[in-house]
Amino acid sequence: MEGGYSPGRFGRALGWATALYLVLPLFIILPVSMTDQRFLSLPHEGLSLRHYAALFASGEWFASIAQSFWIACASTILAVSAGTLFAIAAWRINRRATELLRALMLLPLIVPSIVYAIGLYRYFGWWDLLDRFAGVVIAHGVTGIPYVVITVSTALASFDVRLEQAARGMGASLRQVLAWVILPRIMPGIVSGAIFAFIHSWDELVIVLFIASRDVFTLPRRIWDGINENQDPIMAAVAMLLIVFTTLLLVVDLAVRRRRDG
Amino acid sequence: MMRREAGWYALLLPAFLLLSVFYVTPILQVLAISFLEPSPGFSNYERIGTNLSVQRVIITTLRICSITTVLALLLGYALSYTITLASERARRWWLLCVLVPLWISVLVRAFAWVTLLRRQGLINQTLQGAGVISEPLELVWNEFGIIVGMVHYMVPYAVLPMLASMREIEPRLLAAARGMGASRGQVFARVFLPLSMPGVVAAGVLVFIFSLGFYITPAILGGGKTLMVAEWISLQILDLIRWGLGTMMATLLVVTILVTLAVFSRVVNMRRLFGGA
Amino acid sequence: MSAALELRGLAKRYGSFVAVEGADLAVERGSFLTLLGPSGSGKTTILMMIAGFTEPSAGQLLLDGQDITALPPEKRAFGMVFQGYALFPHMSVAENIAFPLRVRGQGRAERDEKLRAALDLVQLTGFADRLPKQLSGGQQQRVALARALVFDPALLLLDEPLSALDKKLRAELQEELRALHRRVGRTFINVTHDQEEALSLSDEVAILNHGRIIQKGAPAALYERPRSRFVADFLGKSNFFQGVVRELGGGWLGVQVAGLRLRQVVDGPRPGLGAAVLLSLRPEKIAALGAEESADNIVEGVISAWSYLGAGFSLAVETALGVLRVHLPAWRAPFVPEIGAALRLGWAADAPTLVDDDDAA
């Protein structure tokens, strides 16, 4: 902020302390994951990559990573297609009724997952979707819709309606307007939404705890068991990989947004 | 214009159907069960007045959520304030400090805290190694651990709305106030703080309602000794098979959250929170 | 000449709010018409109804005698330059200009040829691969023009095309726009709130207020012979005198204004004796008279304020008629003005016009 006004010493110190509090625990995982010991601790003699090697050699972990990845991909596709169409239509219609529908779309962000999870636990029993790939994809896809609706709506809010009018005034059909004018302009919003929907599914645990047990055993589920049961440093290696993966996705997102704004 | 809009309405359908069938219905079912099982009526709700375990978990949850909210607001405010007044270039790095933890898996974060806080954890080992303490401190598997983890989770959520409202404050106002002879403290108390208040209220509401239904962090860092509502519900359903009681608490949770939101709906803009990050 | 576009009783209401009421207008083929009015006067609504983005509540639109009221915008395909230009930010200059051709599925060769001609027309050859944000405001405006003209539309609609530009550039582009209109020979319909722009660009100007077309005509006719107080006041500045007709001469009236008898020429219908009339007198039509000079109407006054405008002086002169606003060209001002100085003012009997008091200003 310009204008020659800066925070005082106390404010600045508390700000820095908070930032360290947010970030340091995440950094601590890196040395722990490279410990040369058999249990969770800082490295004693030297750094070692053997826990990473163990992680990649382990069929169990690998299977869970693959399963989480495919579930996240499938549910992202579901959330992005339904959410994008919804956001564009609601933006175009723009009446009071669509405002209500938009509020409905945001429910999954507001209602705690535990409530949804116990509801699904019984509901999916009837549909025979418990412990099924499809069941988890549906649950994650539906709860991922709000992220897409929000990012795409935000992109549309800064979309100049006159661009659409200009295109139609020059003779473009609805389909041409969508494909050549609207979609290219809001693509960064769609990509952001997809990234958030993906991370949401990739990290989701509460729902999975209730609607999956043996056949579907996602990565968060395996970490959960790991935290509760043992002190194996392989956990730190997994955590480190997750941090790197999420950070990469966020960097992609930032790059996409910068291109949109620039 | 109606005739040109029919096609657009069709595009609303997929999301609407998905949400109705696979989201709203299971949740409505939860509400229904709370009145129907084990027997139709309000028997589950009467337990709020009579059952000690129910009362204890409600009080524990409210206490932890209030403490979490206050701490997250305090730390988040300092951080937002620093970010708002930082230079354009520095601001990018500060934001990264907020956004990366926001999106890092909640499990990973809880794991990090366990690693740091447990009896043989890094903090205790370091303190013992330095000779500051002789016995390891009880830092986790109690309320303290839960609050450390929850505040860590909630600070980014507190920062985003506060940052949004602080960035709307005209920087020249602050410079002008200094120019008129106000001290830094006066500028903060008389100009900055009042103007940022809408963001603080929004952040408070958001953090509080998010904390109420929190499951993973309290479950891991509480070690099963301190129960909050979400874990208690899970216990009723999965281990004790008391659907009536579990769904009653779930209903209570949802109603509390929706009522809080409705009361503060003017200041909380969910879309801005996530879209404006 | 035949009308290219005709509006018959075109109206737009939003609930009980009337944005445009019953507009009748005929636009000659190949002419440059400007809809001029303050904001909220309904001029943009009329343009949007012509383009097809706003559906009229009543009335008809005819293009070459064909009813096009129900046609969606993409079927009308008029060229349009939007306020702020609405260039597609993700497309290059060439892609922007070729967009209407691409939409029509025209082949590469044809497209390239028309694109080159359009770039040439607006003197932007060499800028084809730039993005809109890499262009200056004036260049963007020219891209918007080229895009609107490239597919040979029957009409070109311009929505405040110059409002985003600074004053100097605006004057330059006014001339360019005028020349472009002559070169392409199409019908242009322009919307603006800037009266100078309207006067200098147009063959015809329609003045709007409160959703109604108040007067239409050639710029000079509108300026010289405004029919109402609103038009006289909106197009430039004016002094107004409220008076009563006391004398009827051959082609002139004697009008009593605040104790003075003014001689006023009339060429239209004459009001009767005793009728209340409103006179509008342009500040530049008032002369400062020397002691020996005479005029049809003379009034004595005292300077109460003045300012220097470069080309002349603007004076406020206190007289029996009230405070008169007077513009004197510098070369004719016999003195350097001084507050409190006495002044004799005069004007010809045909200098003021009789106007309706619509009291809408």
Side-chain angles (χ1 to χ4, degrees):
Chain A
M1 191 180 266
E2 306 79 32
Y5 182 82
S6 57
R9 197 168 301 162
F10 176 73
R12 196 193 300 264
L14 196 56
W16 271 99
T18 309
L20 290 180
Y21 166 61
L22 287 183
V23 175
L24 270 192
L26 303 175
F27 278 110
I28 266 320
I29 295 177
L30 180 63
V32 172
S33 74
M34 295 169 82
T35 182
D36 49 356
Q37 306 293 305
R38 293 188 164 279
F39 52 92
L40 275 177
S41 60
L42 287 174
H44 284 201
E45 319 272 310
L47 298 178
S48 149
L49 286 177
R50 63 182 177 145
H51 303 294
Y52 288 90
L55 171 63
F56 287 115
S58 149
E60 275 186 340
W61 282 101
F62 194 79
S64 285
I65 289 175
Q67 205 166 38
S68 271
F69 181 78
W70 291 118
I71 287 173
C73 286
S75 61
T76 300
I77 292 171
L78 188 67
V80 166
S81 25
T84 305
L85 292 181
F86 178 90
I88 294 178
W91 168 74
R92 195 59 189 65
I93 296 167
N94 195 20
R95 289 181 202 281
R96 186 152 296 204
T98 61
E99 271 308 303
L100 263 174
L101 277 182
R102 223 197 286 257
L104 178 78
M105 290 296 140
L106 297 186
L107 268 187
L109 291 182
I110 298 162
V111 175
S113 332
I114 182 74
V115 179
Y116 179 52
I118 61 172
L120 265 194
Y121 183 34
R122 199 177 265 203
Y123 192 66
F124 271 8
W126 298 341
W127 288 72
D128 195 22
L129 281 170
L130 284 180
D131 206 20
R132 296 285 182 90
F133 183 82
V136 180
V137 167
I138 291 173
H140 284 180
V142 166
T143 45
I145 288 177
Y147 299 99
V148 181
V149 170
I150 287 169
T151 55
V152 175
S153 298
T154 309
L156 283 168
S158 58
F159 179 87
D160 186 348
V161 192
R162 280 172 305 188
L163 294 183
E164 189 213 342
Q165 290 186 334
R168 293 184 61 202
M170 287 182 271
S173 66
L174 272 187
R175 193 184 292 257
Q176 286 170 328
V177 173
L178 261 181
W180 293 347
V181 180
I182 298 182
L183 281 179
R185 284 303 289 159
I186 61 170
M187 202 35 99
I190 297 176
V191 173
S192 279
I195 289 174
F196 292 149
F198 185 94
I199 297 180
H200 160 72
S201 163
W202 176 253
D203 287 344
E204 205 293 320
L205 172 62
V206 180
I207 300 173
V208 165
L209 277 179
F210 282 79
I211 66 167
S213 50
R214 283 201 327 274
D215 290 346
V216 179
F217 208 83
T218 61
L219 182 60
R221 181 64 202 268
R222 197 166 292 285
I223 299 175
W224 169 260
D225 282 15
I227 293 179
N228 284 333
E229 278 157 26
N230 58 48
Q231 297 298 331
D232 192 340
I234 209 170
M235 293 285 307
V238 176
M240 204 54 227
L241 285 184
L242 280 180
I243 291 174
V244 169
F245 185 60
T246 308
T247 310
L248 277 182
L249 282 179
L250 282 175
V251 169
V252 170
D253 179 55
L254 277 183
V256 170
R257 280 171 194 240
R258 190 162 312 162
R259 242 188 65 196
R260 175 186 67 191
D261 299 337
Chain B
M1 284 271 148
M2 278 307 286
R3 62 176 183 266
R4 294 173 200 157
E5 280 178 4
W8 294 109
Y9 277 97
L11 298 186
L12 293 174
L13 268 184
F16 178 71
L17 286 179
L18 274 173
L19 226 74
S20 310
V21 175
F22 288 113
Y23 193 81
V24 177
T25 313
I27 284 179
L28 288 180
Q29 191 195 5
V30 168
L31 308 195
I33 293 173
S34 73
F35 291 102
L36 296 175
E37 295 181 17
S39 58
F42 290 88
S43 60
N44 291 318
Y45 290 87
E46 283 158 13
R47 302 280 193 95
I48 300 173
T50 57
N51 188 316
L52 275 181
S53 146
V54 171
Q55 289 169 352
R56 194 169 56 235
V57 72
I58 290 176
I59 288 168
T60 309
T61 304
L62 288 178
R63 184 177 62 238
I64 293 179
C65 289
S66 306
I67 297 173
T68 302
T69 306
V70 170
L71 288 176
L73 281 184
L74 187 70
L75 298 182
Y77 195 95
L79 190 51
S80 313
Y81 183 65
T82 317
I83 295 177
T84 308
L85 299 183
S87 70
E88 195 67 48
R89 183 176 287 268
R91 194 180 293 149
R92 203 161 280 159
W93 288 102
W94 282 104
L95 274 177
L96 220 58
C97 288
V98 176
L99 291 181
V100 170
L102 179 67
W103 286 102
I104 295 285
S105 159
V106 56
L107 271 169
V108 169
R109 288 193 264 173
F111 168 75
W113 282 115
V114 171
T115 310
L116 281 169
L117 299 179
R118 69 201 168 91
R119 282 178 72 87
Q120 307 82 24
L122 300 181
I123 290 181
N124 274 323
Q125 278 183 350
T126 312
L127 291 179
Q128 280 176 302
V132 181
I133 51 174
S134 50
E135 283 294 299
L137 299 170
E138 298 292 338
L139 298 174
V140 76
W141 296 311
N142 53 24
E143 218 168 293
F144 176 82
I146 293 182
I147 288 171
V148 167
M150 282 192 40
V151 172
H152 185 252
Y153 188 88
M154 290 300 168
V155 165
Y157 285 102
V159 166
L160 293 181
M162 290 198 280
L163 196 58
S165 89
M166 285 183 195
R167 294 196 59 174
E168 282 166 15
I169 298 175
E170 176 64 54
R172 273 168 298 182
L173 273 184
L174 309 176
R178 291 289 319 246
M180 285 181 262
S183 71
R184 197 196 305 281
Q186 283 172 319
V187 173
F188 178 78
R190 297 282 170 77
V191 183
F192 198 90
L193 188 63
L195 286 175
S196 63
M197 246 7 232
V200 176
V201 177
V205 172
L206 201 75
V207 169
F208 188 74
I209 64 173
F210 276 15
S211 311
L212 280 178
F214 225 53
Y215 180 53
I216 295 169
T217 306
I220 293 176
L221 298 174
K225 278 173 237 151
T226 308
L227 281 188
M228 282 179 66
V229 159
E231 198 181 359
W232 188 87
I233 293 172
S234 148
L235 203 69
Q236 302 304 315
I237 305 279
L238 289 182
D239 299 334
L240 307 172
I241 328 286
R242 288 198 292 215
W243 274 86
L245 221 49
T247 53
M248 178 276 287
M249 196 64 104
T251 306
L252 199 62
L253 182 59
V254 172
V255 169
T256 310
I257 288 172
L258 290 184
V259 168
T260 313
L261 258 188
V263 169
F264 289 95
S265 64
R266 282 199 203 130
V267 286
V268 183
N269 185 337
M270 300 290 288
R271 228 186 304 158
R272 179 163 108 181
L273 174 68
F274 288 91
Chain C
M1 283 218 278
S2 61
L5 183 79
E6 211 183 325
L7 279 61
R8 286 191 191 156
L10 208 61
K12 181 67 192 175
R13 287 179 289 273
Y14 297 98
S16 63
F17 173 72
V18 181
V20 173
E21 55 176 292
D24 293 301
L25 194 65
V27 188
E28 305 297 337
R29 187 181 312 286
S31 73
F32 195 131
L33 172 91
T34 295
L35 303 172
L36 173 69
S39 61
S41 60
K43 55 189 193 303
T44 303
T45 311
I46 292 185
L47 195 77
M48 286 300 175
M49 288 195 281
I50 296 175
F53 297 124
T54 303
E55 223 173 349
S57 317
Q60 272 184 310
L61 262 171
L62 298 128
L63 181 69
D64 296 323
Q66 302 274 320
D67 187 342
I68 57 160
T69 320
L71 226 51
E74 59 267 31
K75 293 278 161 51
R76 297 185 194 192
F78 297 151
M80 180 144 180
V81 175
F82 285 79
Q83 199 170 6
Y85 318 132
L87 298 179
F88 302 122
H90 57 297
M91 298 184 195
S92 68
V93 167
E95 285 170 324
N96 261 289
I97 298 177
F99 186 87
L101 309 173
R102 186 172 156 211
V103 160
R104 286 170 176 70
Q106 293 191 355
R108 264 233 159 252
E110 198 183 351
R111 233 151 76 182
D112 286 349
E113 196 190 311
K114 286 189 178 169
L115 173 65
R116 215 166 317 136
L119 282 169
D120 203 42
L121 181 72
V122 296
Q123 294 148 37
L124 279 176
T125 318
F127 289 85
D129 297 325
R130 302 268 187 100
L131 286 174
K133 66 180 175 201
Q134 296 167 314
L135 300 180
S136 71
Q139 289 167 335
Q140 290 184 13
Q141 200 252 11
R142 287 194 236 146
V143 175
L145 274 170
R147 189 179 67 172
L149 288 169
V150 71
F151 59 108
D152 263 339
L155 272 182
L156 181 69
L157 308 176
L158 303 128
D159 185 6
E160 306 255 7
L162 304 173
S163 64
L165 306 171
D166 63 57
K167 199 173 174 187
K168 194 154 178 212
L169 197 54
R170 203 152 56 205
E172 250 173 72
L173 282 167
Q174 273 176 21
E175 271 169 44
E176 261 181 49
L177 202 54
R178 186 92 193 140
L180 188 72
H181 175 244
R182 272 196 297 272
R183 239 178 302 152
V184 299
R186 300 272 149 199
T187 313
F188 282 29
I189 300 180
N190 178 37
V191 155
T192 185
H193 63 269
D194 179 337
Q195 37 116 351
E196 251 176 74
E197 179 189 322
L199 293 179
S200 74
L201 277 177
S202 327
D203 298 323
E204 278 205 303
V205 177
I207 297 192
L208 285 103
N209 193 29
H210 295 312
R212 229 197 280 248
I213 298 178
I214 294 189
Q215 194 175 353
K216 182 195 150 192
L222 281 178
Y223 187 82
E224 294 296 332
R225 289 280 171 262
R227 273 210 297 267
S228 67
R229 181 188 193 119
F230 175 77
V231 174
D233 207 35
F234 191 67
L235 274 186
K237 299 281 192 286
S238 228
N239 296 296
F240 295 98
F241 311 128
Q242 206 102 43
V244 179
V245 178
R246 288 287 180 230
E247 200 179 342
L248 292 176
W252 59 273
L253 308 169
V255 180
Q256 186 79 24
V257 182
L260 280 176
R261 181 64 63 88
L262 301 179
R263 207 175 149 86
Q264 171 66 31
V265 167
V266 273
D267 42 13
R270 287 176 11 152
L273 270 179
V277 291
L278 185 68
L279 297 180
S280 154
L281 175 61
R282 298 282 182 201
E284 69 272 15
K285 296 201 169 173
I286 302 175
L289 301 177
E292 307 301 307
E293 283 178 278
S294 171
D296 295 339
N297 296 300
I298 295 177
V299 60
E300 308 272 345
V302 170
I303 298 175
S304 61
W306 64 275
S307 54
Y308 179 58
L309 302 175
F313 292 99
S314 167
L315 310 178
V317 182
E318 216 136 349
T319 69
L321 297 169
V323 175
L324 286 193
R325 193 197 288 265
V326 181
H327 282 190
L328 298 178
W331 62 276
R332 288 194 57 181
F335 53 86
V336 173
E338 199 177 305
I339 288 175
L343 203 57
R344 251 177 106 227
L345 299 173
W347 60 89
D350 63 351
T353 21
L354 282 176
V355 295
D356 292 334
D357 192 1
D358 49 6
D359 204 26

